[in-house]
Amino acid sequence: MSSAAAQHLPRKESRELLGHEGAVLAVRFNRDGNYCLSCGKDRTLRLWNPHTGALVKTYKSHAREVRDVHSSSDNAKLVSCGADRQIFYWDVSTGRVIRKFRGHNSEVNSVKFNEYNAVVVSAGYDRTVRAFDCRSQSSDPIQTIDTFQDSVMSVILTKTEIIAGSVDGTVRTFDIRMGRETVDNLGHPVNCISLSNDSNCLLANCLDSTVRLLDKTTGEMLQEYKGHACKVSLNIILVFFEDVLGVANASFKMDCCLTNDDAYVVGGSENGYIFFWELVDAPVVASFRAHSSVVTSISYHPTKACMLTSSVDGSVRVWN
Amino acid sequence: MGADSDEEDFVVYGTPIEREEDTSARKRRAIAEAGQLRALPAWKQEVRDEEGRRRFHGAFTGGYSAGFYNSVGSKEGWTPQTFSSSRKNRAELKKQSIYSFLDEEDIKDMGGNALETSQQYDTFGFTAAEYARKQASKEQKERPSAIPGPIPDELVIPTTNSIGVKLLMKMGWRQGRSIKDSHADSLYESRRNARKAFLALSDVKNDKDQDQIDSDKPSLDQSVVGSFDEMRASGSTPVHVLHPKQDLHGLGYDPFKHAPEFRDRKRLQKSRERDHKRNDVSGRGILLISNSGHYAPGFGIGALEELDVEDEDIYASGFAYEQTEVDIEPSKTSDGNYKLDDRKRGIFLSFKIASNSEYKLERFPSPEIPVDFDGRHKFPPPAQPAEKVSDLAPPEVPPPEDSTLRLLIEGCAAMVARCGKHIEDFYKEKSKTNPQFHFLSGGDGCSYYMRKLWEHQLRYTGQPRPVDVKSKPSSDKLTAENRGRILGERPLDISTKPQNSLSAKEAVQLQSNLIDTFVKPITLDALPESEKPFRNDPAKQARFEQFLKDKYQGGLRTANVAPVSTMSEADRARERLDFEAAAEAIEKGKEKDIKPSSVLPLPGLNDQRFISATQLESSIVPQDERPIYPRREQFEWRPAPILCKRFDIVDPFMGKPMPVQRPRSKIENLIFMTESTMGTKDKEESSSRSSHDASSVAGITEAEAQGTTNDPDVKLSSVQRPVDLYKAIFSDDSDDDTDEIVNHQPVDPVKTSEGANMALNRLAAEDFLESLGKEFGLEVPPERPNVLFRSETLSVAGASVSSQNEKVATTYMEVKENQSSRGMVEVGNANEDAPLANTGKLDLKYEKRERITEENSSRPLHQQNQNHSPDSDSSSERHRSRKRRSHHRTRSRTPESDSSTERHSSRRRKSHSRHRRARSRTPDADSPSDTQHEERKRKEKRRNRAYTPDADSSGHEYKERNKSSSRRSSDKDRSRKHSRHHKHRRKDHAEYS
């Protein structure tokens, strides 16, 4: 059964989106999956149509590498963050920066819009998660969460929660409705977190080369997925890429995500491989070499069997 | 005039002192006093105007006129501004000048000199430049320029000098000149003037340059304009010049980086070349160049001093540059010209050009490479070839039959392999007569010996080889003897041993002694008593200790282990083995101990060897309790209100003050246990509720019974009235308070409560209530009617009450109804408890507020609760419990209403009723079985969920509280509390309002 379903996994490269100079650090589908955004070391954001391969627009304003980008649900705004410690709030059509949110004392690793595109929540190397108000003129955060012990690598938002994964080995869920902070200590640095489509499970890519699936409500570990290589600590990657690219503080978040039907877990590896694990039993159902170098980001199409991967080699590839 | 008549008789000499008729007397006095005043201390001096009037007065001096005249001059002291319509008179920009702040006197003092900030004043010349640009643009507008459009404006930037430069120029300084006035000499000055005149006449072009220099507008491209300026500029203060890149060096490459003095040379030469090209053959420029071979590196020489030879000497650097050396890219023509010029000028009068230069470039032929030269360096072969291992392995030979001989051979081979060939020679020589050592000299077992030796050598050289590669070649020469000498070891003296007793066994022993020649030096303390493994044999123990000493002493082992005559060789060997084993055991014990308790310094070998069971356990336990991941913890987290708003979520903490160490306060849980927390607990235990309920009901009845039996005592003992208030307001007391209270609770028995104490307490409490009410801005009605009224209310059990109370009660009931209909649970901290209808009016008011806030925030809380303990019949449970409680309340109060005639008693009752209520709030816990059950459950809960600290901690203290509830209030406690409350009241009031 699984093998039959596994046939539909996007393993065929349909297109390569070239344009970024230097590593691509993140690639994200927009909400409906018609467009995608990529950002990278070349300090630009690029808006593509991944299905045609057309580069729609390039957004330049960041002073340093751009680490994460997210588009609002109405596709009107973008938010991006990077090593220049600022969060840029863009207008998609004009390509202008509407606002720059300041407050982070260090590089910003991840940024997300909330459900209503009113708040931007960012996670930074300065061990904080900060929430910024898009509707006010102020560029200061409306809330700062500083309970983390180490760099916060990834943040995701649900309707009522802010979930962030940190290098201190914890995934912290901040429930705004209940006023509770839930700390799930995984014991290993968390590189990236991702939410299942039913929002019941949490996927955490840890630096011990393990992707862990947690039950969000109880916090128990449901499954571990192994086989890929994600154990080189950020620091080593950092040193390596400092040498190669001459950019200080380069660290790559390596994404993991679930397929849109929550049947498989997708993860990237340091050697350029993409791994598919079966969700329940955790065998590797498919793995193939997608890139020649570290796979930095994976984005799965919200509805179709389509996947985007980005890599340090500067390419974004579309898989069908 | 009588005086006139008198004057006729006198002859007047001189002129009389003219009297200042025009000055008024006052003024004169003022002037006269001025001197005096100045001598006075500051606080005695008076301020007077030019008329000598006092202008400033104290509060009681001066009077009306001073106030009137000395102020602005109106009756009010100032005239309010009249209204002017902003519609008609548009607000014009009022420009304040310095005169707005000066009165006539000050202006007069200024002497008509207007004071104003100059636009041109600027230390750095920036604003001035701006100003100049503006001026220029203005001018340009006025007269049409040759090139139309804005381009020339951008191209030609008019500059002005900064004020500093201008000032300096006014003072005689010129561009490029030193600031230091080095030539104050008048003779020098005149000479220079003469020279200037000469210069002015000499050349037209130079004249132009001169103008340019002297004018206030130095051109930007000074460096480009000409060498002359440059030369002069280089004479002293550096003028900022732009150097266009003219050489063919790489960008940023500076050939004169470490020899800056040559740079100027080079430049001069360049410029001279240019001059030549321009056919500007005025001798002066060249002349200058030749002179400035001696210019000073620093300040000192001005722009025009070049002509004077005397002047040159002043700052002569002491050496002249040889032109040929300096030239990096020598150009023949210029060089020749230059020298020619020099000679023409005859500057170096006493010198002649040397016919042969001293600096001859000597060229040596390249060395001849020998034919047999090899590009690589070959290291000489090692000095001691004896050490090298023969690559050729001797054939494997079966060992000789004699085991002693075999042992001897093996030991000897190991020794030789270790220490070198010379040992073998040594042995050979020493044991010539010994037949057993014949193998050394090619006798019996020689081939076996060779084989063994090779093996050992291989083993020994195999190990250190990688090390040797790195080590210095000098270490090659380090033999065992050298090393021994360096380390100050005693050489092995084998010869002391009797020759004849040299048996094979002894040889083995010797070898074994030598094999572990070097032992690690461990400071070994004196062995504790229990450490002696050979306690029964003191002699052996002594030997063992000696052995240990040897072992741990480090360095070379002493070879002369005093042989005990009584012991056979075999015994000794066995003993030695025993010793080794014992030492090893000790060491192991030590190691074992070191591992777990690496932090502690080793107290002694004893502790290391014998580890207590508990210690072991403790060292193991943390390993067992390794955290199992993932681990979940929960904490309270406060989202910002704006965040909640933006997420479209009701703020769970809306209207609640920031907690100050919320769950840690024991006082909350100990004393201020309330319905809300109770409710929470009930809720949380809902899974086993049905079975639990009956028992809790039983518990209530029991508690009630106890309460009734205890009533007389309790009535006397404690004034409980303000407790709710305390709790409500001062719920976050610090921990130390709690500790005090906890400490005092057991001390204070019921018996100590005497009438006097009670009265005192009551008075204090009432005072406090009243003052608190005032603080809150609430009216506190006189005591008696309120009490009477309340008792009345209580007797009717809420049926007919005053309008206010009714209202409050109804709202409260509404809240209740809402909650129950929604299956609401009161969850929260102790400070937001909902005491059932409070007795005090003040309490009620306060309560209402509390209730409202709770109602607002109860929705999310409810959800939270549902999450944790989904309970379907919670509402009904709730109903039941509430009913029970209310019933109980009424019951407990009814007896009091009987005797509501006397004020005193009523007051007492009131306080008591309060107490009763507090007691009755925790009924189910009074039954012992219930408590146990609850405690068990709570323990489980605590283990499972660390995130409900409020409820948990309260649960934790729950039993304790019940125990101590009846004997809680000592008057000491109360008075302390009271005072503290007074202290904190303001803060808390602010917080809650």
Side-chain angles (χ1 to χ4, degrees):
Chain A
M1 175 217 93
S2 66
S3 63
Q7 297 302 312
H8 303 297
L9 288 174
R11 275 184 285 191
K12 189 169 65 68
E13 182 184 341
S14 67
R15 195 156 275 112
E16 188 174 22
L17 310 177
L18 287 172
H20 274 288
E21 298 154 19
V24 184
L25 297 180
V27 62
R28 305 269 181 259
F29 269 114
N30 74 335
R31 183 163 248 203
D32 56 7
N34 289 332
Y35 293 92
C36 77
L37 285 155
S38 63
C39 59
K41 279 250 190 290
D42 60 353
R43 303 180 290 190
T44 60
L45 302 171
R46 278 159 208 261
L47 174 64
W48 311 82
N49 186 335
H51 309 295
T52 63
L55 171 63
V56 181
K57 205 170 181 69
T58 304
Y59 302 89
K60 289 180 189 172
S61 212
H62 271 282
R64 290 183 65 189
E65 66 183 47
V66 192
R67 294 206 175 162
D68 198 7
V69 63
H70 192 223
S71 66
S72 63
S73 51
D74 56 0
N75 293 330
K77 303 286 192 292
L78 296 181
V79 68
S80 65
C81 66
D84 55 1
R85 303 179 192 180
Q86 292 185 10
I87 292 144
F88 285 59
Y89 181 54
W90 305 79
D91 186 69
V92 171
S93 51
T94 61
R96 288 225 182 104
V97 178
I98 301 167
R99 207 158 294 138
K100 291 177 190 171
F101 299 116
R102 295 179 184 86
H104 276 287
N105 300 321
S106 190
E107 292 91 335
V108 191
N109 290 322
S110 181
V111 70
K112 288 280 183 296
F113 273 113
N114 79 331
E115 181 82 9
Y116 310 107
N117 310 315
V119 178
V120 165
V121 179
S122 63
Y125 187 73
D126 59 352
R127 304 185 290 184
T128 60
V129 165
R130 286 166 202 262
F132 299 90
D133 190 357
C134 295
R135 294 184 184 165
S136 83
Q137 293 294 317
S138 165
S139 66
D140 296 326
I142 52 174
Q143 176 132 30
T144 303
I145 302 166
D146 51 3
T147 56
F148 295 93
Q149 313 286 310
D150 208 332
S151 167
V152 192
M153 290 306 292
S154 178
V155 65
I156 47 178
L157 303 181
T158 64
K159 272 191 174 179
T160 61
E161 288 163 317
I162 299 169
I163 309 168
S166 165
V167 179
D168 64 3
T170 60
V171 173
R172 287 167 202 256
T173 307
F174 301 91
D175 194 319
I176 300 163
R177 194 180 57 182
M178 276 157 46
R180 283 245 169 243
E181 174 188 359
T182 307
V183 182
D184 289 317
N185 197 335
L186 299 180
H188 296 282
V190 178
N191 198 350
C192 171
I193 53 170
S194 166
L195 205 61
S196 67
N197 293 300
D198 59 359
S199 298
N200 287 331
C201 299
L202 200 62
L203 203 63
N205 192 7
C206 297
L207 278 180
D208 60 340
S209 292
T210 310
V211 177
R212 291 180 167 84
L213 187 70
L214 303 175
D215 187 341
K216 209 175 80 178
T217 47
T218 62
E220 64 183 297
M221 180 136 61
L222 299 173
Q223 195 54 266
E224 287 188 337
Y225 307 95
K226 289 180 179 175
H228 65 307
C230 182
K231 62 187 162 214
V232 175
S233 76
L234 296 175
N235 287 336
I236 295 173
I237 304 177
L238 186 152
V239 169
F240 170 63
F241 283 105
E242 252 178 51
D243 290 342
V244 173
L245 304 167
V247 181
N249 244 339
S251 61
F252 292 103
K253 195 170 78 178
M254 288 159 67
D255 277 355
C256 61
C257 64
L258 283 150
T259 56
N260 50 33
D261 51 358
D262 280 348
Y264 299 98
V265 172
V266 193
S269 180
E270 278 166 17
N271 49 14
Y273 275 77
I274 296 287
F275 283 77
F276 285 94
W277 293 274
E278 217 265 315
L279 182 85
V280 183
D281 300 326
V284 177
V285 289
S287 75
F288 57 90
R289 193 177 178 89
H291 289 275
S292 59
S293 187
V294 182
V295 179
T296 53
S297 184
I298 301 170
S299 185
Y300 208 89
H301 194 280
T303 51
K304 282 187 275 186
C306 181
M307 183 177 72
L308 295 171
T309 60
S310 70
S311 169
V312 170
D313 62 13
S315 62
V316 175
R317 288 182 182 161
V318 189
W319 306 84
N320 277 320
Chain B
M1 247 197 193
D4 284 350
S5 58
D6 289 341
E7 272 173 18
E8 288 168 8
D9 306 331
F10 301 108
V11 179
V12 179
Y13 292 101
T15 38
I17 296 168
E18 209 172 305
R19 306 194 76 173
E20 298 169 355
E21 295 296 340
D22 51 342
T23 54
S24 68
R26 261 210 299 249
K27 197 170 183 178
R28 259 184 284 127
R29 197 169 66 224
I31 289 162
E33 278 175 359
Q36 287 175 4
L37 275 175
R38 227 168 278 138
L40 284 170
W43 51 274
K44 270 188 180 171
Q45 288 177 16
E46 282 173 346
V47 180
R48 288 166 197 277
D49 62 1
E50 82 276 2
E51 296 292 296
R53 289 176 304 212
R54 271 183 78 186
R55 296 307 297 263
F56 301 116
H57 299 275
F60 302 105
T61 54
Y64 170 78
S65 66
F68 187 86
Y69 292 111
N70 293 347
S71 51
V72 184
S74 68
K75 212 160 99 186
E76 296 86 5
W78 51 274
T79 324
Q81 199 176 21
T82 48
F83 171 77
S84 64
S85 167
S86 65
R87 179 176 282 187
K88 283 174 190 165
N89 312 330
R90 287 280 165 207
E92 73 270 44
L93 198 72
K94 263 193 180 169
K95 226 177 180 182
Q96 282 185 331
S97 72
I98 193 155
Y99 292 103
S100 319
F101 303 97
L102 296 175
D103 59 0
E104 311 111 39
E105 241 176 282
D106 296 326
I107 293 163
K108 210 187 281 172
D109 286 345
M110 280 162 58
N113 288 331
L115 197 63
E116 63 180 3
T117 49
S118 166
Q119 250 181 324
Q120 293 170 59
Y121 177 78
D122 187 15
T123 322
F124 303 105
F126 182 75
T127 324
E130 198 71 17
Y131 178 73
R133 199 172 301 154
K134 268 186 204 157
Q135 281 298 109
S137 65
K138 209 191 284 172
E139 276 175 34
Q140 203 189 10
K141 268 179 198 165
E142 281 167 8
R143 52 167 174 73
S145 65
I147 313 163
I151 306 122
D153 189 25
E154 288 168 12
L155 285 177
V156 186
I157 306 158
T159 59
T160 54
N161 285 323
S162 65
I163 190 73
V165 173
K166 276 185 186 169
L167 279 172
L168 278 171
M169 280 175 167
K170 286 262 167 68
M171 289 162 71
W173 176 83
R174 275 151 308 140
Q175 290 279 358
R177 249 206 85 181
S178 154
I179 293 165
K180 188 175 131 195
D181 192 10
S182 57
H183 304 293
D185 197 342
S186 61
L187 187 79
Y188 172 80
E189 202 66 28
S190 60
R191 213 190 298 160
R192 209 186 55 172
N193 284 340
R195 247 181 273 134
K196 245 196 266 185
F198 165 70
L199 259 183
L201 290 171
S202 65
D203 205 331
V204 187
K205 186 198 169 285
N206 287 337
D207 222 84
K208 221 188 284 168
D209 284 350
Q210 178 80 20
D211 283 346
Q212 204 162 6
I213 288 291
D214 284 344
S215 69
D216 284 355
K217 286 175 250 163
S219 68
L220 244 185
D221 48 355
Q222 219 164 3
S223 67
V224 189
V225 163
S227 59
F228 188 55
D229 297 333
E230 215 170 279
M231 275 178 285
R232 285 198 285 184
S234 64
S236 77
T237 326
V239 173
H240 179 69
V241 285
L242 296 170
H243 295 289
K245 182 170 159 52
Q246 286 168 329
D247 55 2
L248 298 174
H249 297 303
L251 255 187
Y253 173 72
D254 189 0
F256 305 104
K257 196 180 175 187
H258 297 297
E261 55 269 29
F262 294 108
R263 183 182 290 129
D264 295 323
R265 268 288 164 187
K266 181 79 170 50
R267 206 172 52 227
L268 290 186
Q269 194 195 331
K270 271 274 172 66
S271 58
R272 197 154 36 76
E273 276 176 50
R274 216 166 31 227
D275 280 1
H276 275 290
K277 269 179 208 156
R278 275 196 237 151
N279 276 333
D280 183 12
V281 215
S282 77
R284 205 183 53 81
I286 297 152
L287 167 151
L288 282 174
I289 294 154
S290 65
N291 272 339
S292 54
H294 299 265
Y295 59 77
F299 297 118
I301 299 280
L304 295 164
E305 281 87 72
E306 289 84 7
L307 282 181
D308 204 312
V309 185
E310 300 162 37
D311 297 336
E312 302 287 293
D313 295 334
I314 299 168
Y315 293 103
S317 55
F319 55 90
Y321 303 116
E322 189 69 21
Q323 195 72 24
T324 46
E325 268 176 35
V326 172
D327 279 346
I328 301 300
E329 297 157 332
S331 66
K332 281 271 165 67
T333 53
S334 65
D335 208 29
N337 281 342
Y338 178 65
K339 282 201 169 149
L340 203 73
D341 288 336
D342 273 357
R343 238 169 288 153
K344 269 182 191 166
R345 276 287 300 154
I347 284 292
F348 306 109
L349 290 173
S350 51
F351 294 100
K352 275 197 283 182
I353 301 288
S355 56
N356 58 335
S357 171
E358 254 182 79
Y359 300 94
K360 203 175 271 175
L361 200 71
E362 264 187 89
R363 284 202 172 274
F364 298 99
S366 58
E368 273 183 37
I369 300 163
V371 189
D372 59 341
F373 177 73
D374 192 6
R376 286 182 196 163
H377 180 66
K378 266 183 252 154
F379 289 98
Q384 286 189 324
E387 304 246 325
K388 79 173 180 222
V389 185
S390 57
D391 294 343
L392 209 82
E396 204 146 0
V397 200
E401 283 75 32
D402 189 3
S403 62
T404 56
L405 183 65
R406 202 187 64 186
L407 277 173
L408 182 63
I409 286 170
E410 275 176 19
C412 204
M415 189 62 213
V416 170
R418 203 172 204 198
C419 298
K421 199 79 179 168
H422 57 280
I423 292 288
E424 194 191 1
D425 299 337
F426 180 75
Y427 276 10
K428 221 181 272 180
E429 202 180 79
K430 281 285 172 189
S431 57
K432 253 175 209 164
T433 52
N434 197 333
Q436 280 187 305
F437 276 91
H438 277 173
F439 64 87
L440 287 173
S441 46
D444 191 8
C446 176
S447 55
Y448 183 70
Y449 168 71
M450 293 305 272
R451 171 72 195 180
K452 277 286 148 192
L453 180 64
W454 178 79
E455 275 175 19
H456 281 285
Q457 274 177 338
L458 211 65
R459 200 186 310 154
Y460 279 115
T461 51
Q463 281 174 337
R465 193 165 283 168
V467 183
D468 275 359
V469 170
K470 280 180 187 171
S471 65
K472 291 175 193 169
S474 67
S475 68
D476 287 345
K477 286 169 191 167
L478 195 72
T479 62
E481 279 171 337
N482 290 343
R483 193 166 50 210
R485 219 182 304 125
I486 290 163
L487 296 169
E489 288 161 350
R490 269 181 297 173
L492 297 169
D493 74 298
I494 300 157
S495 56
T496 54
K497 292 196 176 176
Q499 288 270 345
N500 54 357
S501 70
L502 248 181
S503 66
K505 276 180 187 168
E506 202 170 10
V508 169
Q509 199 185 349
L510 167 80
Q511 174 254 331
S512 69
N513 271 343
L514 288 170
I515 288 271
D516 45 7
T517 311
F518 295 98
V519 285
K520 47 183 172 182
I522 298 169
T523 49
L524 188 77
D525 299 333
L527 284 172
E529 205 57 43
S530 56
E531 192 51 46
K532 293 168 179 167
F534 312 105
R535 228 168 303 160
N536 45 5
D537 189 351
K540 199 178 181 186
Q541 177 63 34
R543 281 200 299 277
F544 175 62
E545 274 167 19
Q546 176 65 33
F547 165 80
L548 275 184
K549 212 174 108 190
D550 289 351
K551 187 175 164 78
Y552 290 114
Q553 207 169 26
L556 198 67
R557 187 178 310 290
T558 47
N560 52 348
V561 180
V564 184
S565 55
T566 54
M567 285 175 83
S568 69
E569 296 296 329
D571 282 343
R572 204 178 295 165
R574 207 176 299 128
E575 196 188 79
R576 173 139 190 126
L577 278 174
D578 283 355
F579 287 172
E580 297 271 14
E584 203 174 341
I586 289 169
E587 203 151 9
K588 262 188 192 160
K590 195 192 296 172
E591 273 175 9
K592 209 191 282 174
D593 206 86
I594 283 168
K595 257 178 230 165
S597 63
S598 56
V599 185
L600 292 166
L602 302 169
L605 282 173
N606 188 21
D607 300 355
Q608 293 149 18
R609 195 172 177 190
F610 304 104
I611 302 158
S612 67
T614 54
Q615 200 181 341
L616 247 169
E617 217 170 60
S618 69
S619 66
I620 287 164
V621 160
Q623 285 186 334
D624 289 347
E625 283 192 354
R626 266 189 70 230
I628 302 148
Y629 296 115
R631 207 175 34 190
R632 172 164 276 207
E633 287 172 288
Q634 290 204 343
F635 305 102
E636 186 184 298
W637 171 70
R638 277 184 175 252
I642 181 76
L643 188 74
C644 298
K645 197 178 161 192
R646 290 284 177 260
F647 270 81
D648 206 9
I649 290 168
V650 178
D651 188 354
F653 294 93
M654 190 160 64
K656 286 179 194 168
M658 281 304 283
V660 187
Q661 292 184 330
R662 179 171 292 248
R664 265 149 220 129
S665 171
K666 276 185 220 149
I667 198 165
E668 215 167 74
N669 308 315
L670 272 176
I671 302 168
F672 305 127
M673 192 69 152
T674 54
E675 279 92 345
S676 66
T677 44
M678 294 272 301
T680 319
K681 256 177 271 152
D682 287 352
K683 221 45 211 184
E684 282 164 359
E685 289 159 16
S686 58
S687 58
S688 65
R689 185 59 203 232
S690 52
S691 63
H692 188 63
D693 205 22
S695 62
S696 70
V697 171
I700 291 164
T701 51
E702 263 184 44
E704 210 178 311
Q706 276 180 11
T708 47
T709 50
N710 287 343
D711 253 356
D713 283 345
V714 172
K715 260 179 200 169
L716 287 173
S717 71
S718 54
V719 181
Q720 285 290 331
R721 187 176 67 164
V723 161
D724 283 340
L725 253 182
Y726 286 161
K727 183 216 59 53
I729 300 162
F730 307 110
S731 54
D732 348 307
D733 256 342
S734 54
D735 281 353
D736 50 348
D737 304 355
T738 323
D739 290 343
E740 278 170 7
I741 285 155
V742 170
N743 288 339
H744 282 104
Q745 273 162 3
V747 175
D748 184 32
V750 185
K751 294 168 204 161
T752 51
S753 53
E754 297 298 329
N757 277 350
M758 192 202 69
L760 214 144
N761 288 343
R762 202 193 318 117
L763 277 172
E766 276 164 13
D767 279 351
F768 168 65
L769 252 188
E770 211 167 298
S771 57
L772 194 73
K774 275 171 191 160
E775 280 279 334
F776 276 115
L778 300 169
E779 50 155 338
V780 180
E783 197 60 39
R784 184 192 282 267
N786 197 12
V787 167
L788 285 171
F789 163 72
R790 201 177 301 127
S791 58
E792 197 180 45
T793 315
L794 290 169
S795 63
V796 187
S800 68
V801 285
S802 87
S803 62
Q804 193 181 8
N805 266 6
E806 192 174 31
K807 199 174 77 190
V808 172
T810 48
T811 51
Y812 179 64
M813 285 314 288
E814 267 171 30
V815 171
K816 286 269 175 198
E817 286 300 310
N818 282 337
Q819 284 180 340
S820 58
S821 65
R822 273 183 284 164
M824 272 301 151
V825 188
E826 299 166 10
V827 184
N829 308 300
N831 69 337
E832 60 206 16
D833 72 314
L836 302 170
N838 252 325
T839 42
K841 184 179 174 186
L842 174 60
D843 288 17
L844 279 166
K845 274 197 172 180
Y846 186 73
E847 187 105 44
K848 197 167 116 192
R849 215 178 318 169
E850 274 285 335
R851 289 273 59 191
I852 288 159
T853 57
E854 192 170 349
E855 189 185 15
N856 282 335
S857 58
S858 56
R859 199 169 62 89
L861 288 169
H862 157 62
Q863 275 157 351
Q864 167 197 355
N865 226 25
Q866 259 189 342
N867 265 347
H868 301 321
S869 59
D871 188 11
S872 55
D873 59 345
S874 61
S875 60
S876 63
E877 281 297 329
R878 184 73 201 153
H879 256 307
R880 225 192 305 170
S881 66
R882 198 179 303 118
K883 234 182 263 172
R884 197 195 317 127
R885 212 179 295 137
S886 60
H887 173 61
H888 173 68
R889 191 173 69 244
T890 46
R891 229 193 315 166
S892 67
R893 275 170 197 166
T894 36
E896 291 150 21
S897 55
D898 299 345
S899 60
S900 60
T901 47
E902 199 191 60
R903 185 192 170 183
H904 189 78
S905 68
S906 74
R907 210 186 277 170
R908 192 178 58 191
R909 198 182 316 114
K910 182 185 67 196
S911 62
H912 172 60
S913 75
R914 202 178 272 266
H915 176 64
R916 280 288 304 275
R917 206 178 61 252
R919 277 172 47 76
S920 66
R921 261 179 234 138
T922 60
D924 42 357
D926 281 353
S927 78
S929 67
D930 220 42
T931 320
Q932 276 176 5
H933 185 74
E934 268 190 1
E935 208 170 42
R936 208 183 317 126
K937 284 206 69 77
R938 213 156 277 129
K939 266 181 190 165
E940 283 172 13
K941 224 188 298 161
R942 206 175 311 146
R943 205 173 307 135
N944 293 337
R945 305 183 296 184
Y947 58 87
T948 48
D950 318 12
D952 271 347
S953 54
S954 64
H956 183 65
E957 308 293 346
Y958 194 58
K959 208 171 145 197
E960 202 181 345
R961 180 206 164 260
N962 281 315
K963 263 191 269 174
S964 58
S965 62
S966 59
R967 45 171 104 147
R968 195 176 305 125
S969 59
S970 76
D971 63 324
K972 210 166 149 195
D973 245 348
R974 183 148 317 278
S975 61
R976 190 184 295 119
K977 239 186 280 173
H978 185 237
S979 65
R980 189 174 297 118
H981 290 155
H982 267 292
K983 222 187 320 182
H984 287 303
R985 202 192 308 149
R986 189 165 294 278
K987 189 190 82 187
D988 287 311
H989 174 214
E991 199 174 310
Y992 269 78
S993 58

